[in-house]
Amino acid sequence: MDTLSRQRGDGAPEPGATAPGPDATASRPDGTAGRPDGTAVRQVDRIAGVGLLDGRVVDVDIEGGVVVAVTEAVTRAGDAGVDVTGGSGSAGSAVIDGRGYLALTAPAEPHAHLDKALSWSATRPPGCDLGAAIDAWRAFAVTVGEDEIHGRALAAARRLVASGTTAVRTHVDLHSEGDPLRGVRALVRVRDELADELDLQIAVMVRDEDPAERARDAIAAGADLIGGAPHIAPDTAAETHRLIDLAEELGVGVDLHVDEFLDGDHGMLTAFTDRVASWEPGRIRTAGHCCRIGAMDATGQAAAATALSGADVGVVTLPVTNLYLQGRAECTSTPRGLPPVRALLDGGVTVGAGADNVRDPFNPVGRSDAIETAMLLVVAAHLDMDTAWHLVTDGAREVMGLPAAGPVPGRRADLLLVRASGLDDVIADAPVDRIVLRAGRVVSARASVVVDPFLTQTSTHPPDLQEAP
């Protein structure tokens, strides 16, 4: 069980346990679970004839939300095809025809801002740097209530699920006017509504003007972690220590925005790593952004990697948003706004990658798709495709304190099936045809639509979820 689950007393199923539904009455005798829209989230027993990254074609058996076996697929006599009905599957078991699909570990999003998501059209900041984005958001935030935040956050979370993401950590603001916890309450509602489809962690953004009691109330209201951005506070070091003091008092982890700038001497990395280095193993400590490290020389980057690794701090790089916000003052050799990901990995640092903001004042674009993040890591961080995919899957889950997932026996059956022949196809093409499993249940299935421009009708080719004889 992950760290946050131990703190809340709930969470992801242990191997062999049945994945919980959103409430005690959600499970049905046929293995389906209810969703808010009245449709079913269906339990899967087997994925037959699916491809793996190593080139094998296999059957993946699932029990209790966990992968229990991965075996070579049975080939029909006299045919090059794969038998998707035979093998050890019991009569009436739910079998996905995985032919033509690639089975991948489902992505995780380790750094989102669901309370801000999809607000670009209502904000449209006059400038495009970090300061202008902050000002635009704060001006807009005073006009919105809990229901408005909830609606946008729910829509953004569902987009993430549809693209293949089964776990999200979102930051959420406190508010100085009106109900200061309205964003937290909105995100807790989203977590409850999507409990059968998504693991949602909430980090509360505590600003330097927020009193400690407001942060305590946020944790009591359902937030999981203390967050914040001390590098924009008047006294960076003092604010870093204050937030870590709060986390220690409340017995929770921290996920801080760290040094989201490219120059200056007001960094908080050393204060952060020094404070959490003595924390017990498994307690979450995450540093988001870390753009300043990318502007250091090789000696400075190596020292930062040593400090982060020694303190067991996970780093989250956020290419789409930081490529958009950072480096705007430089007209020559414009910096990328990313930490030196390869150097951090080589230095033993746990690194994940996310999208950060999506279609809000901090980033007007974004597809809520981890494949987009992986593509940007290949292009902007100069990573190979395998490493880029690791950062949005296993690396992201490790940063979030979640159990390992993927098409491997003993791992949680959080899987993304994509119609592709290899990872290069996935990252280059971002195929539309996808089936998403969380803890062995189908939570989303999408297929491309073929349109005849001279007719009003369209035909779809949905994935085949069939009953085995």
Side-chain angles (χ1 to χ4, degrees):
M1 187 176 292
D2 64 276
T3 303
L4 294 183
S5 296
R6 288 198 298 271
Q7 293 168 359
R8 288 201 304 259
D10 59 12
E14 298 283 2
T18 300
D23 54 61
T25 62
S27 278
R28 298 183 178 130
D30 63 357
T32 64
R35 297 172 68 186
D37 60 6
T39 59
V41 176
R42 190 169 182 190
Q43 188 72 42
V44 174
D45 300 304
R46 164 171 289 184
I47 306 166
V50 72
L52 297 182
L53 287 177
D54 61 9
R56 289 182 295 154
V57 177
V58 300
D59 296 335
V60 178
D61 290 316
I62 300 168
E63 292 180 9
V66 174
V67 175
V68 294
V70 176
T71 56
E72 296 289 337
V74 177
T75 302
R76 292 192 299 269
D79 189 352
V82 173
D83 184 357
V84 298
T85 62
S88 61
S90 61
S93 59
V95 179
I96 289 178
D97 181 355
R99 290 174 295 183
Y101 283 86
L102 193 65
L104 304 167
T105 303
E109 172 53 74
H111 188 120
H113 287 268
L114 295 181
D115 62 329
K116 299 180 175 70
L118 311 181
S119 63
W120 169 260
S121 61
T123 54
R124 295 186 180 271
C128 298
D129 60 9
L130 181 60
I134 292 172
D135 291 342
W137 170 252
R138 290 186 175 179
F140 176 67
V142 301
T143 70
V144 300
E146 178 183 324
D147 288 343
E148 195 275 348
I149 297 171
H150 167 265
R152 285 186 291 98
L154 182 62
R158 284 177 168 159
R159 290 185 183 196
L160 284 161
V161 172
S163 72
T165 296
T166 61
V168 175
R169 180 183 296 167
T170 181
H171 297 260
V172 59
D173 282 6
L174 293 171
H175 297 267
S176 300
E177 67 301 315
D179 176 8
L181 301 183
R182 61 184 181 272
V184 175
R185 299 186 207 282
L187 267 296
V188 169
R189 287 168 58 189
V190 172
R191 183 170 66 197
D192 291 343
E193 291 171 63
L194 299 185
D196 204 51
E197 303 169 50
L198 185 70
D199 290 299
L200 183 60
Q201 301 175 356
I202 301 172
V204 58
M205 289 282 291
V206 184
R207 301 163 300 177
D208 60 288
E209 63 260 39
D210 289 317
E213 193 58 35
R214 190 174 291 168
R216 297 185 187 105
D217 290 344
I219 297 296
D224 302 295
L225 301 164
I226 292 293
H231 61 275
I232 62 175
D235 189 331
T236 294
E239 183 63 6
T240 301
H241 287 293
R242 185 178 81 101
L243 296 182
I244 296 173
D245 287 343
L246 276 168
E248 291 177 342
E249 171 199 328
L250 296 168
V252 300
V254 293
D255 185 337
L256 301 181
H257 290 53
V258 173
D259 297 350
E260 192 180 359
F261 59 91
L262 296 175
D263 52 27
D265 58 2
H266 57 296
M268 55 174 281
L269 181 63
T270 300
F272 184 26
T273 55
D274 285 350
R275 276 296 304 272
V276 302
S278 61
W279 278 13
E280 68 275 15
R283 188 170 182 176
I284 289 173
R285 66 218 72 173
T286 304
H289 298 287
C290 296
C291 305
R292 183 72 179 96
I293 303 175
M296 295 177 177
D297 60 20
T299 300
Q301 292 180 7
T306 298
L308 289 161
S309 177
D312 197 22
V313 173
V315 169
V316 178
T317 181
L318 303 157
V320 63
T321 296
N322 284 135
L323 287 169
Y324 175 74
L325 290 173
Q326 300 295 325
R328 289 179 173 272
E330 304 295 332
C331 62
T332 303
S333 300
T334 304
R336 294 170 181 246
L338 303 180
V341 178
R342 184 74 266 169
L344 294 180
L345 290 169
D346 291 344
V349 180
T350 299
V351 183
D356 199 3
N357 302 82
V358 174
R359 297 180 63 182
D360 69 17
F362 298 81
N363 173 27
V365 296
R367 300 195 308 263
S368 299
D369 187 355
I371 295 175
E372 178 182 49
T373 300
M375 177 273 295
L376 289 169
L377 290 171
V378 172
V379 173
H382 292 164
L383 298 183
D384 61 87
M385 291 193 183
D386 289 334
T387 302
W389 190 250
H390 169 82
L391 261 62
V392 300
T393 54
D394 296 327
R397 291 185 70 87
E398 187 174 354
V399 165
M400 296 173 69
L402 294 171
V408 177
R411 292 192 176 189
R412 180 168 161 167
D414 280 28
L415 304 171
L416 171 61
L417 310 186
V418 183
R419 193 174 290 281
S421 61
L423 187 59
D424 53 343
D425 288 343
V426 174
I427 294 178
D429 296 337
V432 173
D433 291 10
R434 306 184 196 188
I435 305 171
V436 186
L437 281 71
R438 175 182 177 266
R441 289 176 173 169
V442 174
V443 295
S444 179
R446 297 190 300 171
S448 55
V449 178
V450 179
V451 178
D452 184 336
F454 298 99
L455 298 175
T456 58
Q457 295 181 335
T458 61
S459 60
T460 61
H461 304 281
D464 181 13
L465 180 64
Q466 62 183 16
E467 296 289 339

